[in-house]
Amino acid sequence: MPENLELVEGWVVNARVVGRIAFLEVIDDLSLKPVTVVVKRDEVQDEVWKAATSIKLGSAVRIRGVKPERVVSRKGRELHARLLQVLAEPVDLLPIDPTGKTPANPEAYINYRYLALRLPRYRAIFLARSLLMNLTREYFYSRGFLEVNTPKIVGAGAEGGATLFVVEYFERKAYLSQSPQLYKQMLMCGVPRVFEITPYFRAEKFSTVRHLNESWGLDVEMGFINGPEDVMDVLDDYIRYVTRRINEELGSTLREQGFELLPPVEKIPRYTYREAVDILRGLGFNVRMGDDLDTQAEKALGEYMERQGVYAYFITEYPWEAKPFYIMKSEGGLSKSFDLDIRGIEVASGGQREHRYAELLGNMREKGLNVEDFSFYLEAFKYGMPPHGGFGLGLDRLLMTLLGLPNIREAVLFPRDRFRLVP
Ligand code: ATP
Ligand code: MG
């Protein structure tokens, strides 16, 4: 070939023939919009023309051609083909319409996620997810946090037995980790700041739009803190960073696809649990002081906040009885804890931890835990454990609330819920 040819590799998502010209739309690389490949009868050899006019939608193709001097396609990218190779043809009917015109059964978008990824809506979601992961790493690296990886097969859970998946581990019983809580805290006796991007395995029989049995979280732990406010400051800054960068890099793309992308977040307001309960009572909710806020209450609070133009907010100082043993107590039965809610959905939980050995033992006994099961954890509190705190944040939940997705299953490639173990 004499000319300098451009290469396009991807899948044919639309095709039509008009007289002596064939138009193929090919979705390639990570763009949301296909390239329009123009095949002119007079510019190509017979076999290329034959392939172009008989191509099956969904085929994987490799095309070489020249970029026109003037692009006429409304989609913005165009290639005039010289060579066309069909690398693979579908051998069955496509379960998802590649043109996106005929909607498929909602389940099909999960069962055939790889085909959904040829559509702009799903490409956009997973581009945003990939960006979120990258920004998360970038943020914590640049602030001196060590990225760590802790075991996912464990001998004890952070929150007690009922919510753990059991694994056969040679002659013993083990569990899938529901959170890196215990390990990230132990690490505070050796390094000042850590973060981990990790799966959470939770065995509850959930049936909500915001729970999965396998979800991905961001766990952060920092030592030498002066109080839970230090941790909230970091989480606040992280949320501001990711919302700003996602808006900058994908804002117009995501809005074009119809997502109600969360605008960049400003300083996140902090309400105490007591204040939240008062607001909810004012809205007619019957919340007992001491109760965790249920889904309905969280949602109503979210709507109330949104009416004031607030999308993200902290709820602090929960009653200690509603929180796990490792959270530090404060006066009046309260705790040094916080939740971060976005659009009425809990996205993160955190707080200052109890770092004092004797107090920690007391907390465990009070929560009815078997202290022996946790001796490996308690050991780390004997050798100069500094005051520390951190949070666990659901990355699937964060993506869901950022994009305004109706269901967390849309934020995950291959979701795991009670009824779904394949694909
Ligand atoms: P919830 O009350 O919403 O069930 P939780 O308080 O039990 O959540 P945490 O133990 O605080 O969850 O976990 C930290 C974060 O991890 C949560 O704020 C949430 O964003 C995310 N998360 C926890 N469990 C799940 C789950 N089953 N599916 C998806 N995300 C989850
Ligand atoms: Mg929580």
Side-chain angles (χ1 to χ4, degrees), residues 283-342:
L283 294 170
F285 275 82
N286 184 15
V287 197
R288 196 184 65 93
M289 268 302 279
D291 286 351
D292 205 354
L293 305 181
D294 65 22
T295 311
Q296 285 316 309
E298 272 180 0
K299 195 163 168 253
L301 192 62
E303 285 161 3
Y304 169 88
M305 295 292 177
E306 223 158 307
R307 288 197 289 275
Q308 346 273 315
V310 173
Y311 294 99
Y313 43 93
F314 285 107
I315 304 169
T316 66
E317 296 177 50
Y318 278 80
W320 190 75
E321 63 176 291
K323 287 288 163 186
F325 75 88
Y326 48 80
I327 291 283
M328 190 179 265
K329 289 179 176 176
S330 61
E331 303 76 52
L334 300 178
S335 67
K336 300 199 174 187
S337 61
F338 61 81
D339 273 11
L340 170 70
D341 284 25
I342 301 181

Side-chain angles (χ1 to χ4, degrees), residues 240-416:
R240 281 196 271 171
Y241 179 73
V242 296
T243 56
R244 176 172 66 74
R245 290 287 304 275
I246 288 178
N247 272 272
E248 281 168 7
E249 292 186 30
L250 285 177
S252 55
T253 304
L254 290 166
R255 292 202 176 85
E256 236 169 73
Q257 290 305 322
F259 296 106
E260 288 180 26
L261 179 63
L262 195 79
V265 167
E266 301 296 328
K267 177 103 185 120
I268 301 176
R270 300 172 187 185
Y271 298 87
T272 63
Y273 168 85
R274 171 91 252 178
E275 288 167 336
V277 168
D278 285 343
I279 293 171
L280 283 165
R281 284 181 179 160
L283 294 170
F285 275 82
N286 184 15
V287 197
R288 196 184 65 93
M289 268 302 279
D291 286 351
D292 205 354
L293 305 181
D294 65 22
T295 311
Q296 285 316 309
E298 272 180 0
K299 195 163 168 253
L301 192 62
E303 285 161 3
Y304 169 88
M305 295 292 177
E306 223 158 307
R307 288 197 289 275
Q308 346 273 315
V310 173
Y311 294 99
Y313 43 93
F314 285 107
I315 304 169
T316 66
E317 296 177 50
Y318 278 80
W320 190 75
E321 63 176 291
K323 287 288 163 186
F325 75 88
Y326 48 80
I327 291 283
M328 190 179 265
K329 289 179 176 176
S330 61
E331 303 76 52
L334 300 178
S335 67
K336 300 199 174 187
S337 61
F338 61 81
D339 273 11
L340 170 70
D341 284 25
I342 301 181
R343 288 178 158 164
I345 293 179
E346 180 194 316
V347 166
S349 283
Q352 176 162 6
R353 322 303 187 185
E354 182 52 76
H355 65 285
R356 296 163 298 181
Y357 188 82
E359 280 80 355
L360 186 56
L361 268 182
N363 283 2
M364 293 178 95
R365 295 211 171 94
E366 216 175 308
K367 294 280 184 191
L369 294 172
N370 185 1
V371 172
E372 275 81 70
D373 293 345
F374 293 87
S375 51
F376 68 97
Y377 164 75
L378 286 165
E379 195 61 18
F381 288 75
K382 291 181 180 167
Y383 310 109
M385 179 62 90
H388 63 276
F391 60 85
L393 174 148
L395 287 164
D396 309 327
R397 287 244 185 118
L398 178 57
L399 185 69
M400 174 191 180
T401 55
L402 288 181
L403 267 51
L405 302 176
N407 194 316
I408 195 168
R409 288 164 183 76
E410 278 207 311
V412 176
L413 282 172
F414 299 106
R416 289 288 168 264

Side-chain angles (χ1 to χ4, degrees), residues 94-128:
L94 294 168
I96 292 180
D97 173 11
T99 67
K101 279 179 203 137
T102 319
N105 163 352
E107 293 283 293
Y109 295 101
I110 300 181
N111 290 334
Y112 299 96
R113 195 59 111 198
Y114 40 91
L115 292 181
L117 284 172
R118 297 182 188 176
L119 299 172
R121 176 184 168 81
Y122 290 92
R123 286 206 155 201
I125 293 174
F126 292 98
L127 279 176

Side-chain angles (χ1 to χ4, degrees), residues 26-283:
V26 177
I27 187 83
D28 67 334
D29 57 48
L30 292 179
S31 340
L32 261 57
K33 288 180 186 154
V35 190
T36 303
V37 175
V38 181
V39 189
K40 291 188 178 161
R41 179 70 195 89
D42 305 331
E43 283 179 359
V44 297
Q45 310 220 314
D46 288 354
E47 69 264 21
V48 170
W49 176 251
K50 219 173 129 211
T53 50
S54 61
I55 206 142
K56 284 190 183 169
L57 288 195
S59 298
V61 292
R62 175 180 294 140
I63 294 165
R64 289 179 205 273
V66 288
K67 273 197 186 149
E69 273 166 24
R70 205 171 58 84
V71 172
V72 289
S73 155
R74 274 183 294 116
K75 305 237 156 116
R77 288 187 304 149
E78 210 172 293
L79 191 75
H80 287 205
R82 295 290 180 270
L83 298 174
L84 182 146
Q85 238 180 312
V86 178
L87 302 176
E89 278 188 337
V91 296
D92 207 342
L93 291 178
L94 294 168
I96 292 180
D97 173 11
T99 67
K101 279 179 203 137
T102 319
N105 163 352
E107 293 283 293
Y109 295 101
I110 300 181
N111 290 334
Y112 299 96
R113 195 59 111 198
Y114 40 91
L115 292 181
L117 284 172
R118 297 182 188 176
L119 299 172
R121 176 184 168 81
Y122 290 92
R123 286 206 155 201
I125 293 174
F126 292 98
L127 279 176
R129 185 179 174 106
S130 169
L131 178 61
L132 173 64
M133 293 293 180
N134 198 16
L135 294 173
T136 299
R137 286 216 159 81
E138 202 175 284
Y139 181 87
F140 287 100
Y141 269 87
S142 71
R143 276 144 185 94
F145 285 75
L146 182 73
E147 180 167 11
V148 298
N149 305 104
T150 62
K152 302 306 144 199
I153 303 178
V154 297
E159 331 275 337
T163 63
L164 291 162
F165 284 112
V166 179
V167 182
E168 259 179 60
Y169 196 72
F170 306 107
E171 291 76 32
R172 276 179 294 168
K173 214 159 85 172
Y175 307 95
L176 291 182
S177 162
Q178 58 190 184
S179 131
Q181 183 66 34
L182 304 180
Y183 290 95
K184 67 176 182 176
Q185 279 194 264
M186 288 156 67
L187 292 173
M188 288 299 98
C189 207
V191 280
R193 283 179 293 279
V194 299
F195 80 100
E196 176 170 10
I197 293 176
T198 170
Y200 296 157
F201 300 101
R202 306 215 173 170
E204 284 130 295
K205 292 179 175 167
F206 299 114
S207 68
T208 76
V209 295
R210 61 203 175 94
H211 287 96
L212 292 170
N213 293 99
E214 176 184 287
S215 66
W216 281 80
L218 161 68
D219 265 86
V220 167
E221 202 67 23
M222 32 199 280
F224 303 94
I225 60 168
N226 297 304
E229 296 75 24
D230 291 353
V231 184
M232 278 188 272
D233 287 346
V234 169
L235 177 52
D236 177 310
D237 195 48
Y238 161 75
I239 293 292
R240 281 196 271 171
Y241 179 73
V242 296
T243 56
R244 176 172 66 74
R245 290 287 304 275
I246 288 178
N247 272 272
E248 281 168 7
E249 292 186 30
L250 285 177
S252 55
T253 304
L254 290 166
R255 292 202 176 85
E256 236 169 73
Q257 290 305 322
F259 296 106
E260 288 180 26
L261 179 63
L262 195 79
V265 167
E266 301 296 328
K267 177 103 185 120
I268 301 176
R270 300 172 187 185
Y271 298 87
T272 63
Y273 168 85
R274 171 91 252 178
E275 288 167 336
V277 168
D278 285 343
I279 293 171
L280 283 165
R281 284 181 179 160
L283 294 170

